């Protein structure tokens, strides 16, 4: 899948720069406004998993989407946080 290859490659360069690893990246946007147009939680979970598997775990920098009106993204993006 092209997006998976791209995010995996990008993560090699920037995942070490997440705030939890001492870098300046505080948040990683995985999707833009999908929740305003669709409600496929499996799609959002798949994207979330791509980012997590690539090294953006949600514990070193916040994973988020930009959705103004629906809770889809929040439910699909839940990740365990460090205690």
């Amino acid at each position: 899948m092209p997006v998976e290859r791209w995010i995996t490659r990008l993560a090699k360069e920037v995942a070490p720069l997440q705030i939890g690893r001492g870098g300046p990246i505080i948040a990683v946007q995985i999707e833009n406004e999908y929740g305003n147009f669709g409600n496929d939680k499996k799609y959002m979970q798949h994207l979330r998993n791509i980012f997590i598997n690539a090294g953006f775990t949600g514990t070193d920098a916040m994973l988020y989407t930009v959705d103004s009106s629906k809770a889809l993204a929040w439910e699909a993006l839940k990740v365990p946080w460090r205690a």
Side-chain angles (χ1 to χ4, degrees), residues 8 16-18 28-32 38 41 47 78 82:
T8 300
L17 301 175
Q18 295 172 91
V28 177
Q29 182 176 343
I30 70 163
E31 180 51 74
N32 189 58
K41 287 186 179 182
L47 284 179
K78 282 187 178 175
R82 272 192 291 223

Side-chain angles (χ1 to χ4, degrees), residues 29 31-38 65-68:
Q29 182 176 343
E31 180 51 74
N32 189 58
E33 298 184 1
Y34 176 75
N36 291 321
F37 306 103
T65 70
V66 177
D67 289 295
S68 60

